[in-house]
Amino acid sequence: MNHDLETAEHPETLKRVVIEPLTRVEGHGKVTLLLDEDEHIQQARLHIVEFRGFEKFIQGRPYWEVPVLVQRLCGICPVSHHLAAAKAVDALVGVRQLPPTAEKIRRLIHFGQTLQSHAVHFFHLSSPDLLFGFEDEVSHRNIVGVIADHPDIALKGVKLRKFGQEVIRVVSGKRVHGTLAVPGGVNKALSREDRDYLLRQTDEVLAWSRDAVDLVKRLYVANSAFHDRFGRIDSHWLSLVDSDGNLEIYDGSLRTRDDSGCMIFDQAPCDDYAEFIREGIKPWTYMKFPFLITLGREDGWYRVGPLARVNNCDQIATPLAEAQRREFLAQDAAGHPIRAPLAYHWARMIELLHCAEAIVGLLRDPDILGGELQLRGEPRQEGIGVIEAPRGTLFHHYRIDEQGLIEKANLIVSTTNNNQAMNESIRAVAREFLDGHELTEGLLNHIEVAIRAYDPCLSCATHAVGKMPLSLELLDCNGRLLNRLERNSRGSCELA
Amino acid sequence: MTAYFQIDGVPIPFESGQTIMDAALAAGQYIPHLCHNPEFRPHGSCRVCTVRADGRFVAACTFPASEGAKVECASDELRELRNGLLQMLFVEGNHVCPGCEKSGACQLQAVAYYCEMLAPELPHFFPRRHVDASHPDLAIDYGRCILCELCVRASREVDGKSIFAIGGRGIKAHLLVDSPSGKLGDTDMSVHDKAAHVCPVGAILIKHRGYDRPIGQRLYDQRPVSVVGDVIQAEETRDD
Ligand code: SF4
């Protein structure tokens, strides 16, 4: 492991390189590297803007507003926040089990959201690295380059995303930031007309989703020795599973495995999350570091997201995705979890296929066309909602006063869960690829490739398409500027 | 013989004692307004219904109609004036439409759309105003109150309770609740009171039920306020 790269012994004597803003990730973040005279990496850290403001902002607001307010955390996966908050609010109104129509409608929008999020991430943000190589010309290494060189691939990405957005629009009234969940249920079922409109597209969506898995598999396997090694770390894994151990993204219980796949705990109720997970802090970043309490602060960190879910579950409930899962896991002859960060892309596309299959199943289910929409039970003052967002496990926890106003909120967002893992991966990459070399844009992109694999949502919607201005500064130990590399808004790089 | 005046050249019949607003609404001619509702005594405070009657700026809701008067309503000048008033209303309170449960069924929002105000352009005041949720069935979000006094009038004139009043002056004007604590929970207000259903914005809320109308089915989703009318009528016909 490369844990020693978290904090250098004498940072004051080292050169500092900052990669900011990170590109082709959602939101803003930066990486700082400290190098010694001989360009050896001594420290590597990822810093991310956190969401704490929101927890404060919603204090004093009525609880039934929260699922709509928290959507504004993010323009990329608002549905995840909406649903996680809605599940917590269900608990506040005393509803454990939603009526079938309400639960299926919520699942439908969640699958739609996950499908569109995974499609954007792979096709728009990450496929350029895998198709063109990490050191490809930056002006070409983006979705525009994919459209130029592989229009068929780009088009499928665009269409998959569009379908996911259409599911969201039809269910919630808007493509982004609609309304759907109300305390104890949903505000509408699907109309027959909307159901048929979506169903008409599903054959193609299934075909494109299968192609997407095939594509990522082909790209990965074409250079699997390198892809397996790139930024590889050992970690524990955390995700939801259902009561049979199936991959589950809407509901279920918590399961964790260690790096060799042995169960640490299973079927832990989400309501008890605080007994299993705690958030640590480090002096150099506002972003917290969640860990499993039983294993402690240093060793208890874990990974979440598509790779965690695919590694963690016993099976996937839909047949095409399940077949792909088996093939995916067969890569490791010893039957251990797949550890390579770049395997996240593959796992993500397996999930995309699962979403497509699950959407078809739900659209064929008559329950989604109508039935009881909302239930009420005995009110409570504390509610916890846990969901698998596209990027990983997402925790929403609220306490309200007797009048129904939010007193306290705690959110652990998916990206925070992967904080330590992303830091470990960039350290692994920095040590293997950057150490001792003169830094170039292509080499620095290696760092970004490792981060991108986790699909972090660093704050809210940015669609950088590889043209985001990026400036790298090399300073000596006295803070003097030695070298400056700039990527301008047209995407070309200049030494300043 | 019916008497007539004109709004933007359109003849409007009226009866003696009617205001410009009364006659216009009766004739199906919409004049944007917020604090007015035909069920209550006119108030003339929001000034959104300002028109020019024979050259003079007047509030249509309080100014009597008169034979042969020439009233301008849709001129660029008046549009701009109304837009300015709406701009000020939006920034003076905390009108965050994206998170508000009243969005799509809010008269302030609907009138702003009608008047083609697309976004707040003035700096926001972001006043710190709290939510009073002390009542078991009702909540007041003071940040959204536009001081239209509809609840004041409804409580006094219809419910006979006089629970609300406006206190303070100018920028310090605010809604008051008549109870020792100033809290709604300490009044005899009921969710069935008229005052609970007249608020044109999301200030007086029925608790526990926000966002229950899907987007597309909310009051102003399909047709503009000039066709749909005020929030009050819609609230009264709401089936729950
Ligand atoms: S609470 Fe509503 S009805 Fe009462 S004055 Fe304020 S805006 Fe008008």
Side-chain angles (χ1 to χ4, degrees):
Chain A
M1 286 303 218
N2 300 285
H3 201 66
D4 54 307
L5 291 187
E6 180 181 320
T7 303
E9 280 197 14
H10 297 288
E12 66 285 356
T13 62
L14 300 170
K15 288 183 289 193
R16 182 175 145 95
V17 175
V18 182
I19 308 180
E20 183 185 18
L22 299 168
T23 60
R24 284 184 284 131
V25 294
E26 310 291 8
H28 293 271
K30 67 174 180 181
V31 168
T32 56
L33 306 172
L34 295 187
L35 300 98
D36 65 16
E37 299 282 293
D38 304 321
E39 313 292 349
H40 290 302
I41 305 273
Q42 300 295 332
Q43 180 179 300
R45 291 171 172 177
L46 165 68
H47 312 253
I48 295 174
V49 185
E50 246 285 53
F51 295 130
R52 292 291 145 178
F54 242 87
E55 294 167 351
K56 191 85 194 146
F57 167 72
I58 57 178
Q59 274 175 16
R61 298 306 311 172
Y63 74 86
W64 61 92
E65 265 188 6
V66 167
V68 171
L69 290 185
V70 296
Q71 291 193 91
R72 301 281 161 170
L73 277 166
C74 178
I76 300 296
C77 62
V79 172
S80 309
H81 288 294
H82 181 61
L83 293 178
K87 288 178 71 182
V89 167
D90 294 341
L92 294 175
V93 298
V95 176
R96 280 247 152 254
Q97 182 62 51
L98 297 184
T101 299
E103 169 152 345
K104 286 174 188 174
I105 290 282
R106 285 199 194 172
R107 282 180 181 272
L108 178 62
I109 196 171
H110 192 36
F111 282 123
Q113 143 94 12
T114 306
L115 184 135
Q116 81 93 21
S117 173
H118 282 2
V120 172
H121 180 262
F122 180 67
F123 290 96
H124 293 66
L125 305 182
S126 292
S127 72
D129 295 320
L130 297 173
L131 287 165
F132 305 139
F134 305 170
E135 299 202 44
D136 182 47
E137 181 55 42
V138 70
S139 58
H140 175 254
R141 199 183 60 215
N142 55 48
I143 184 65
V144 180
V146 179
I147 293 169
D149 293 13
H150 304 280
D152 51 323
I153 292 176
L155 193 65
K156 281 177 195 166
V158 169
K159 287 181 167 177
L160 277 167
R161 176 193 195 184
K162 171 117 197 297
F163 178 74
Q165 283 178 323
E166 281 301 279
V167 172
I168 296 170
R169 183 188 63 77
V170 157
V171 176
S172 73
K174 281 166 78 181
R175 270 194 207 156
V176 186
H177 299 145
T179 67
L180 171 71
V182 290
V186 294
N187 63 15
K188 70 165 190 186
L190 211 61
S191 72
R192 209 166 275 275
E193 193 188 358
D194 285 339
R195 192 266 320 257
D196 294 344
Y197 161 73
L198 292 175
L199 261 181
R200 279 198 295 278
Q201 305 171 54
T202 49
D203 284 351
E204 275 187 310
V205 168
L206 272 174
W208 298 328
S209 303
R210 295 173 87 151
D211 292 349
V213 187
D214 288 342
L215 171 66
V216 72
K217 194 190 315 179
R218 183 163 55 75
L219 292 171
Y220 191 98
V221 171
N223 198 356
S224 55
F226 173 74
H227 291 146
D228 280 346
R229 199 178 83 222
F230 183 82
R232 187 183 138 138
I233 54 173
D234 294 335
S235 74
H236 311 303
W237 305 94
L238 174 103
S239 71
L240 293 178
V241 287
D242 75 6
S243 53
D244 297 324
N246 286 304
L247 182 138
E248 171 64 61
I249 62 170
Y250 174 74
D251 207 2
S253 310
L254 295 166
R255 171 182 278 184
T256 52
R257 289 185 192 273
D258 67 14
D259 61 335
S260 60
C262 295
M263 208 75 82
I264 304 173
F265 60 74
D266 193 17
Q267 299 298 330
C270 291
D271 276 355
D272 300 340
Y273 84 96
E275 286 173 28
F276 301 103
I277 295 163
R278 192 170 297 155
E279 289 179 288
I281 48 171
K282 304 215 170 172
W284 50 269
T285 174
Y286 288 121
M287 176 96 156
K288 294 193 175 176
F289 291 85
F291 60 91
L292 303 172
I293 294 171
T294 47
L295 298 177
R297 218 169 273 264
E298 287 306 312
D299 302 323
W301 59 275
Y302 52 84
R303 282 191 272 185
V304 299
L307 186 58
R309 293 188 287 250
V310 170
N311 274 330
N312 246 357
C313 70
D314 299 327
Q315 63 269 317
I316 299 178
T318 55
L320 299 177
E322 170 61 9
Q324 293 295 340
R325 183 191 73 92
R326 285 169 186 269
E327 193 179 332
F328 173 73
L329 292 180
Q331 286 178 97
D332 191 292
H336 290 152
I338 306 297
R339 295 166 198 178
L342 290 175
Y344 262 95
H345 296 299
W346 188 344
R348 199 169 281 120
M349 290 305 99
I350 294 173
E351 285 196 337
L352 175 127
L353 177 58
H354 169 57
C355 290
E357 290 180 280
I359 289 171
V360 177
L362 284 167
L363 290 174
R364 292 199 179 126
D365 186 331
D367 280 350
I368 60 158
L369 296 177
E372 194 171 17
L373 296 181
Q374 203 177 355
L375 286 176
R376 280 298 158 103
E378 196 53 44
R380 293 179 4 176
Q381 280 180 244
E382 194 143 344
I384 292 167
V386 183
I387 199 164
E388 285 291 339
R391 296 167 176 78
T393 321
L394 170 65
F395 300 79
H396 279 225
H397 182 176
Y398 303 103
R399 200 173 66 223
I400 56 174
D401 62 20
E402 328 66 71
Q403 303 179 351
L405 302 181
I406 300 288
E407 225 168 46
K408 199 167 186 297
N410 185 40
L411 313 183
I412 308 179
V413 299
S414 322
T415 298
T416 307
N417 283 310
N418 273 336
N419 189 8
Q420 181 75 24
M422 288 187 289
N423 270 288
E424 294 288 337
S425 284
I426 63 167
R427 284 168 201 149
V429 168
R431 176 151 281 165
E432 177 161 4
F433 297 96
L434 277 65
D435 198 67
H437 296 279
E438 192 183 332
L439 298 184
T440 60
E441 193 282 332
L443 275 181
L444 290 170
N445 185 47
H446 281 59
I447 296 273
E448 294 191 73
V449 167
I451 296 169
R452 234 171 255 140
Y454 292 90
D455 186 13
C457 178
L458 301 189
S459 58
C460 53
T462 54
H463 296 277
V465 294
K467 282 191 186 173
M468 212 156 164
L470 171 74
S471 99
L472 310 167
E473 288 181 350
L474 203 54
L475 310 173
D476 71 10
C477 52
N478 299 316
R480 261 200 322 262
L481 185 69
L482 294 179
N483 214 341
R484 187 180 163 96
L485 189 64
E486 268 186 4
R487 179 155 68 204
N488 61 29
S489 57
R490 294 179 307 282
S492 52
C493 274
E494 290 155 12
L495 265 174
Chain B
M1 267 267 298
T2 316
Y4 285 90
F5 68 99
Q6 290 186 4
I7 297 183
D8 298 329
V10 179
I12 308 284
F14 72 97
E15 286 163 20
S16 148
Q18 270 190 317
T19 60
I20 293 175
M21 179 71 82
D22 291 338
L25 292 181
Q29 183 80 21
Y30 179 71
I31 300 175
H33 58 272
L34 286 169
C35 74
H36 178 72
N37 185 274
E39 287 185 58
F40 306 108
R41 220 172 304 150
H43 193 247
S45 62
C46 77
R47 300 324 252 197
V48 169
C49 70
T50 300
V51 292
R52 257 188 200 272
D54 293 330
R56 280 175 62 199
F57 285 114
V58 298
C61 72
T62 55
F63 199 77
S66 63
E67 174 74 44
K70 290 199 169 32
V71 175
E72 270 176 58
C73 178
S75 66
D76 287 348
E77 177 195 35
L78 286 162
R79 245 189 260 260
E80 225 166 88
L81 183 135
R82 253 174 236 133
N83 215 296
L85 288 169
L86 290 163
Q87 288 282 357
M88 288 191 274
L89 278 175
F90 266 93
V91 301
E92 184 271 335
N94 295 318
H95 299 283
V96 190
C97 300
C100 180
E101 63 185 88
K102 195 86 175 200
S103 188
C106 169
Q107 204 168 321
L108 175 63
Q109 187 189 45
V111 169
Y113 276 133
Y114 180 85
C115 295
E116 292 170 1
M117 176 193 149
L118 298 178
E121 285 159 11
L122 301 170
H124 284 267
F125 284 25
F126 296 121
R128 289 176 74 92
R129 296 191 198 142
H130 69 294
V131 176
D132 174 3
S134 56
H135 194 281
D137 305 316
L138 297 164
I140 306 179
D141 184 340
Y142 285 98
R144 298 177 187 154
C145 175
I146 58 169
L147 304 172
C148 71
E149 288 206 19
L150 280 167
C151 60
V152 177
R153 286 174 277 167
S155 185
R156 186 177 58 221
E157 295 169 22
V158 182
D159 305 328
K161 294 185 180 176
S162 293
I163 286 170
F164 299 104
I166 304 288
R169 288 188 159 271
I171 194 66
K172 296 207 170 114
H174 58 283
L175 186 68
L176 289 170
V177 168
D178 184 14
S179 72
S181 61
K183 297 266 183 202
L184 196 62
D186 293 329
T187 67
D188 60 349
M189 176 125 180
S190 146
V191 70
H192 305 296
D193 287 353
K194 181 81 176 174
H197 303 275
V198 296
C199 185
V201 293
I204 299 182
L205 300 166
I206 313 282
K207 284 170 100 170
H208 315 297
R209 74 160 201 199
Y211 316 97
D212 51 354
R213 289 275 161 100
I215 292 174
Q217 296 173 32
R218 299 169 308 181
L219 186 60
Y220 300 116
D221 275 346
Q222 304 292 344
R223 293 170 307 150
V225 63
S226 56
V227 178
V228 174
D230 297 349
V231 162
I232 301 185
Q233 283 77 21
E235 270 289 318
E236 271 166 4
T237 50
R238 217 185 132 110
D239 38 26
D240 46 18

